[in-house]
Amino acid sequence: MDSRCYLIISGIIFGLVTIFHAARVANGWILGLGTWMIPMWVSWCGVVGPALLSVWAFKLAVRSR
């Protein structure tokens, strides 16, 4: 697998993580681990962080042509 393919796959995976976290924020889904309820700010970080990584991966994939 070459680096361009790796970057595209990484961008897609980070994009999916962003979409799932954004869906949780938009719908107000409650998420818990055992008795601990995961705060909504965790999903906000899960939107911003992976979105930046996804954009970065796709930009690098375009440059590596």
Side-chain angles (χ1 to χ4, degrees):
M1 177 183 335
D2 63 345
S3 64
R4 185 169 183 268
C5 183
Y6 172 79
L7 289 169
I8 291 171
I9 291 170
S10 296
I12 290 170
I13 291 171
F14 282 124
L16 289 173
V17 170
T18 301
I19 290 168
F20 289 130
H21 278 288
R24 178 182 181 228
V25 169
N27 295 314
W29 293 334
I30 297 172
L31 187 62
L33 290 172
T35 60
W36 184 61
M37 292 299 150
I38 299 173
M40 196 60 71
W41 66 264
V42 173
S43 281
W44 279 109
C45 294
V47 169
V48 174
L52 293 173
L53 291 172
S54 179
V55 169
W56 187 21
F58 284 123
K59 281 186 177 184
L60 288 175
V62 168
R63 283 188 203 163
S64 68
R65 280 189 169 190

